[in-house]
Amino acid sequence: MSGTIHGVGLGPGAADLMSVRADRLVRTTRHIAYFRKAGRPGHARRIAADLLRPDAVEIAMEYPVTTEIPVSDPRYNACLAAFYADCTQRLADLARAGEDVVVLCEGDPFFYGSFMHLHSRLTGQVPVQVVPGITGMAGAWNATGLPITWGDDVLTVAMATLPEAELTRRIRDTDALVVMKIGRNLAKLRRAVAAAGRTAEAWLVEHAAMPTQRVTPLAQAEAVTPYFAILLIHGQGRRP
């Protein structure tokens, strides 16, 4: 019988925020796969570190490129496509041999996650299941202690990698806002928020639900953690 590939959402960063099902699968499955940048332990691996079996077989999937090549460069897609194809083959071979595999996923597997690229390739080859997780943005807006939306508020989720004019339009036209993938785009994002007239409403949340969590008004933020940072603007919609 074929094994199953489980994409397991671990939540925003604290191990006690993952679901009971995620906890059970991570604790009981022998083959544990996760993505990481070369030379790094991997954030998903860090979240689950204390849950792994003593005899766990770890499968580290190291990105061949992150920010070294611009996304617009054709080499970027070609490089990642080959990487995901190789990862897919490794996991599919294990499943065909009857082994279950857990792929550790930060946040939710189906929300801007790397596992989606495996899921689309594995589906139809071997059994694949997904365990939902709390998203990083949910961890971020809860860190502010304020609701993100009220009543009929429209929530927009945007990437800071968008062109500046498009970012400005999105920020101006929405009630509530989440911006991810900030990193090197902080200066551009600041300008877009200012152009939309919403700097006073914007918050920067770094390392949400982690020991190093920090919540700062955007106007006061001097720097930003390249990866684990989210910008928020809270909706102020209809309420009783």
Side-chain angles (χ1 to χ4, degrees):
M1 291 182 63
S2 177
T4 299
I5 309 296
H6 300 270
V8 177
L10 302 180
D16 58 356
L17 287 177
M18 71 176 68
S19 68
V20 173
R21 184 182 301 177
D23 182 277
R24 174 176 55 80
L25 282 168
V26 173
R27 288 181 186 275
T28 60
T29 304
R30 182 162 176 255
H31 292 272
I32 303 291
Y34 49 88
F35 292 98
R36 71 181 184 188
K37 188 172 182 177
R40 304 283 182 85
H43 181 60
R45 170 65 174 76
R46 183 192 65 77
I47 296 173
D50 294 336
L51 307 180
L52 304 186
R53 289 168 44 162
D55 64 342
V57 177
E58 299 188 29
I59 305 162
M61 300 178 288
E62 295 191 345
Y63 296 111
V65 61
T66 51
T67 58
E68 297 83 1
I69 303 175
V71 176
S72 57
D73 189 319
R75 294 176 300 164
Y76 182 88
N77 264 358
C79 190
L80 283 181
F83 165 67
Y84 286 124
D86 178 66
C87 293
T88 298
Q89 188 63 53
R90 291 168 65 189
L91 300 187
D93 286 347
L94 282 169
R96 292 191 184 103
E99 299 286 351
D100 291 335
V101 182
V102 159
V103 180
L104 304 176
C105 306
E106 299 155 27
D108 182 89
F110 276 178
F111 190 72
Y112 295 106
S114 296
F115 178 75
M116 299 185 298
H117 302 293
L118 300 183
H119 184 273
S120 63
R121 290 167 168 82
L122 288 164
T123 299
Q125 294 193 51
V126 295
V128 186
Q129 295 187 5
V130 176
V131 179
I134 298 172
T135 60
M137 64 180 183
W141 64 59
N142 278 282
T144 68
L146 296 169
I148 191 65
T149 51
W150 295 85
D152 303 320
D153 278 336
V154 173
L155 171 65
T156 295
V157 180
M159 302 299 110
T161 51
L162 288 171
E164 189 169 332
E166 179 69 6
L167 262 178
T168 302
R169 182 182 72 81
R170 299 277 183 178
I171 296 167
R172 180 185 293 122
D173 292 348
T174 195
D175 301 309
L177 176 74
V178 173
V179 180
M180 303 168 60
K181 299 185 180 179
I182 298 175
R184 301 176 181 180
N185 299 288
L186 180 60
K188 176 179 68 173
L189 179 59
R190 283 186 190 275
R191 293 192 300 269
V193 172
R198 306 194 71 175
T199 299
E201 306 169 63
W203 293 84
L204 194 65
V205 181
E206 302 172 64
H207 296 284
M210 304 179 209
T212 52
Q213 173 179 291
R214 182 168 64 172
V215 180
T216 314
L218 179 62
Q220 298 176 18
E222 297 179 359
V224 64
T225 302
Y227 188 79
F228 297 107
I230 292 176
L231 181 132
L232 300 173
I233 292 178
H234 300 80
Q236 300 297 325
R238 173 181 54 79
R239 64 193 82 173

